[in-house]
Amino acid sequence: MTVRFQQLRYFVAVAETRHFTQAAARVGITQPSLSKQIHSLEAELGTALFERVPGDTALTAAGEALLPLARRIVADVETARREVQELVGLRRGRVRLGATPSLCVSLVPRLLRRYHDAYPRIDLVVEESGSKDLIRALTRGELDLALVVVPADGVDPALRAEPILRESLVVASVDPLPDALPGAPIPITGLRGLPMVMFRTGYDLRDATLEACRRAGFTPRLAVEGGEMDAVLSFVEEGLGVALVPGIVVAGRPRLHATPLAPPGMFRTIALAHRREVVPTNAAQALADTLAALLAQVPLPPGVEPLPAAG
């Protein structure tokens, strides 16, 4: 037995108007076409649904039994259609965005504000973590998009990563560095012997800092370790030590000095990543487009430069 949705829709229209011609006008088809569909439905069900008498159309007992079920089915289908249209039209939905702590305290709040203003009914879920954790979450399907630091050996091949920013690392300190001219860069060896505030184990910047010091021939003196971005910056503001951080996070901290590193310096590439085999939803694509517009329009701090989109 094959009962079509449109047949149920036509049945409900006739039952509610009690008139085939009025029902046909209501659903937008001709009266003969509607009558044919009702006859087909009755044939499929093996029983009459209407008693047709001059001047009136009444439901049979079978029609009375079918009506509440048909109404529910029609309503559910219309609700499903409306919800899909709202998702497509960005009137509702959800985006799960991952971002590193340095971006969560700098770029991401402005991005979310702009996106929320444009699409207020899209729910936003933000995961703040290190790039390694975010990449794992992406590959498991737990995130739609993530702003990650591109590792030296590249991202997981299961992901597509579009580089969007190149940011330089600076030495954050509460006072000017000893023996450093104001605003002048210092070599990485200038950190030798200085107390340093260090990120937690597994954090991208911890690995980068320790490797840079090792290549320069020394082991840094760790005054405090174990924090993430906000904690590290707060510890530096309290004068507990210095830290190597992205320049973008120092711009909003007036108590901190940012001393650039002498060439070749240290840089990170930030990419917007998603799973390669999954086409981003309309809501996720709109967030990516909002980010691109933001980077093109908003002045970025010194040491941070947008990267051109891949051709």
Side-chain angles (χ1 to χ4, degrees):
M1 182 176 67
T2 303
V3 176
R4 298 180 178 85
F5 165 71
Q6 291 292 11
Q7 291 175 330
L8 294 178
R9 179 167 166 258
Y10 299 156
F11 164 74
V12 170
V14 176
E16 291 180 348
T17 61
R18 299 173 67 90
H19 197 285
F20 275 74
T21 301
Q22 292 178 14
R26 174 170 158 179
V27 297
I29 64 173
T30 65
Q31 189 272 328
S33 295
L34 180 123
S35 296
K36 181 179 179 180
Q37 289 296 323
I38 295 299
H39 282 302
S40 295
L41 177 60
E42 290 174 326
E44 288 284 352
L45 297 176
T47 185
L49 299 173
F50 296 101
E51 294 178 353
R52 299 165 177 83
V53 296
D56 191 20
T57 300
L59 287 166
T60 64
E64 292 282 3
L66 178 61
L67 182 59
L69 298 175
R71 278 175 169 157
R72 188 179 313 130
I73 292 170
V74 170
D76 287 347
V77 171
E78 291 298 335
T79 297
R81 179 183 290 118
R82 184 169 57 253
E83 290 189 356
V84 169
Q85 288 173 342
E86 286 183 347
L87 287 170
V88 172
L90 294 175
R91 290 191 291 272
R92 61 184 297 272
R94 183 181 69 159
V95 180
R96 301 166 300 171
L97 173 68
T100 62
S102 62
L103 293 172
C104 279
V105 300
S106 54
L107 180 64
V108 170
R110 286 182 290 174
L111 169 63
L112 298 186
R113 175 74 269 169
R114 179 174 289 207
Y115 184 80
H116 180 72
D117 287 345
Y119 310 105
R121 296 188 64 188
I122 303 294
D123 295 331
L124 292 164
V125 180
V126 177
E127 174 73 23
E128 179 183 359
S129 191
S131 292
K132 294 177 182 177
D133 293 336
L134 294 177
I135 288 172
R136 281 193 291 268
L138 269 178
T139 58
R140 291 194 297 260
E142 297 169 0
L143 296 172
D144 300 305
L145 301 169
L147 290 162
V148 300
V149 178
V150 178
D153 56 353
V155 299
D156 190 301
L159 304 179
R160 182 183 299 277
E162 179 71 28
I164 60 168
L165 287 176
R166 184 173 184 261
E167 58 180 9
S168 60
L169 300 186
V170 300
V171 181
S173 61
V174 73
D175 295 310
L177 296 180
D179 303 323
L181 297 176
I186 64 165
I188 190 71
T189 52
L191 299 178
R192 189 194 304 267
L194 294 180
M196 294 194 68
V197 178
M198 186 57 64
F199 296 92
R200 63 170 173 83
T201 300
Y203 201 82
D204 307 293
L205 282 172
R206 178 190 180 95
D207 295 341
T209 300
L210 294 178
E211 177 62 16
C213 294
R214 185 192 66 78
R215 289 182 178 180
F218 70 97
T219 299
R221 179 162 70 90
L222 304 185
V224 183
E225 59 178 318
E228 297 208 12
M229 184 59 66
D230 269 335
V232 165
L233 293 174
S234 296
F235 296 157
V236 174
E237 286 177 326
E238 291 301 321
L240 295 172
V242 303
L244 268 179
V245 299
I248 196 171
V249 303
V250 183
R253 300 259 183 168
R255 293 175 58 191
L256 294 181
H257 290 267
T259 303
L261 291 173
M266 293 177 64
F267 300 89
R268 309 195 311 174
T269 297
I270 304 298
L272 181 65
H274 66 85
R275 282 189 294 165
R276 187 177 295 275
E277 78 279 8
V278 176
V279 177
T281 64
N282 286 355
Q285 185 59 54
L287 183 62
D289 294 341
T290 302
L291 174 61
L294 179 67
L295 294 177
Q297 297 167 5
V298 176
L300 295 172
V304 182
E305 57 178 319
L307 296 176

